[in-house]
Amino acid sequence: MLTTEFDTSLPSIRQVQHLIKETTQVEFKLVTGDLLTGRVLWQDSYCVCIVDENSQQTTIWKQAIAYIKPKN
Amino acid sequence: MLTTEFDTSLPSIRQVQHLIKETTQVEFKLVTGDLLTGRVLWQDSYCVCIVDENSQQTTIWKQAIAYIKPKN
Amino acid sequence: MLTTEFDTSLPSIRQVQHLIKETTQVEFKLVTGDLLTGRVLWQDSYCVCIVDENSQQTTIWKQAIAYIKPKN
Amino acid sequence: MLTTEFDTSLPSIRQVQHLIKETTQVEFKLVTGDLLTGRVLWQDSYCVCIVDENSQQTTIWKQAIAYIKPKN
Amino acid sequence: MLTTEFDTSLPSIRQVQHLIKETTQVEFKLVTGDLLTGRVLWQDSYCVCIVDENSQQTTIWKQAIAYIKPKN
Amino acid sequence: MLTTEFDTSLPSIRQVQHLIKETTQVEFKLVTGDLLTGRVLWQDSYCVCIVDENSQQTTIWKQAIAYIKPKN
């Protein structure tokens, strides 16, 4: 875990903030190959926390994200 | 292993502190594909130490965490 | 996620800017083994956002890119 | 390989120092899936050096550690 | 993507500069397991760009390189 | 590729310097699973260059090293 900045002017940070606000369903593909889906509850420098349809929360380490795909 | 900050105001750091205090069972999915379960004993910038039901301690490098799932 | 610089004088940053401007189809090979193809919409320090022929947007974490191949 | 700090007040650094002093057998699970076992001889910011029962030394890069498990 | 330095006095940076100048065929083994071969066109802090015998350019992220092998 | 320090007082850096001087055969296990063997020619912050018995040189990125094992 590293010294980080959390620059809310960056498009990628803003996009996740937007997904939180819009309560969009998002697919997270991880470097493990796992595919997690849920609404984003919060993000910080290290993590993104999502909740699925069973109210199970999962905190994803950003270091493990390969890509995210908002469900349109 | 890198220069780190351990900012206890961050939600992700606070969440782990909360899991320690509540002695919650937590699933850790690692980038190796391993799934470890236990109560969190301590965290620092680099690691999270857990203990399982057989009192076996395991120190997980945060760099290897894909996601964590508290057992509700 | 780490302290970053986004130095637009670097060839690799400029190349992606060029791909955005030219709306070139680009193949992204990720460290997961995934192969994603699309036009690049934007990049920042952490991510590259692409859109495929079905207008599906995907935000790729740069940390997960192995290589990119512009379709000539 | 990155700028590092080696803060001996951190629990995770102290734990490895303790394992060195106590000559505890330790299992190292690596991100490659390898499982190495031995006593820890030394650590620095980048590496942990272990020795197995055949006196074979192995220097493990910390970047490749998923978790460690002291044999109680 | 991280704050980088591009220190042209380092042997590893100089070696790639040499490969560019000599237009040497080079094998790149990536952490994905991919093996790419080509002449190196340019490098910067983040990437190495190669071109194969079909004039297809590929930009490799240095973070994904396991090793390189110049073809003697 | 990151800002690095190359602190020759560190045991892990010194060990590789020692292996260079002693022309010891060394096994390198990489995060790809590759196992490479050779004598170490040089190291810098990013890389270790080895040569095998056929005089083939390979430059290994340190970021991809899981562990090294000197052949006693």
Side-chain angles (χ1 to χ4, degrees), chain F residues 40-72:
Chain F
V40 185
L41 296 181
W42 53 261
Q43 70 169 328
D44 65 13
S45 320
Y46 300 121
C47 293
V48 178
C49 184
I50 64 171
V51 60
D52 67 17
E53 65 280 14
N54 305 313
S55 306
Q56 172 66 55
Q57 290 187 22
T58 302
T59 304
I60 299 168
W61 256 256
K62 283 181 173 175
Q63 68 197 0
I65 300 177
Y67 63 80
I68 66 172
K69 205 181 273 195
K71 311 291 273 183
N72 295 323

Side-chain angles (χ1 to χ4, degrees), chain B:
Chain B
M1 212 157 70
L2 306 175
T3 308
T4 60
E5 64 180 344
F6 189 67
D7 180 347
T8 55
S9 72
L10 289 175
S12 60
I13 305 287
R14 287 215 318 270
Q15 185 189 37
V16 174
Q17 291 303 121
H18 183 75
L19 296 171
I20 293 169
K21 203 173 145 197
E22 299 295 319
T23 68
T24 313
Q25 288 289 314
V26 185
E27 273 184 16
F28 286 80
K29 179 68 178 267
L30 305 189
V31 294
T32 51
D34 288 293
L35 191 67
L36 305 178
T37 306
R39 289 184 299 106
V40 185
L41 296 182
W42 53 260
Q43 70 169 328
D44 66 12
S45 319
Y46 300 121
C47 294
V48 178
C49 184
I50 64 171
V51 60
D52 67 17
E53 65 279 14
N54 305 313
S55 304
Q56 172 66 55
Q57 289 188 22
T58 302
T59 304
I60 300 169
W61 256 256
K62 282 181 173 176
Q63 67 197 2
I65 300 176
Y67 62 81
I68 67 172
K69 205 181 273 194
K71 311 292 273 183
N72 294 322

Side-chain angles (χ1 to χ4, degrees), chain A:
Chain A
M1 213 157 68
L2 305 175
T3 308
T4 59
E5 63 179 345
F6 190 67
D7 180 347
T8 54
S9 71
L10 289 176
S12 61
I13 305 288
R14 285 214 320 269
Q15 185 190 36
V16 173
Q17 291 305 120
H18 184 75
L19 296 171
I20 293 169
K21 203 173 145 198
E22 299 295 319
T23 68
T24 313
Q25 288 289 315
V26 185
E27 273 184 17
F28 286 79
K29 179 68 178 266
L30 304 190
V31 294
T32 51
D34 287 294
L35 190 67
L36 305 178
T37 306
R39 289 184 300 105
V40 186
L41 296 182
W42 53 261
Q43 70 170 328
D44 66 12
S45 319
Y46 299 121
C47 294
V48 178
C49 184
I50 64 171
V51 60
D52 68 16
E53 66 279 14
N54 305 313
S55 305
Q56 172 66 55
Q57 290 187 23
T58 302
T59 304
I60 300 169
W61 257 256
K62 283 180 173 176
Q63 67 198 1
I65 300 176
Y67 62 81
I68 66 171
K69 204 181 273 194
K71 311 291 273 182
N72 294 323

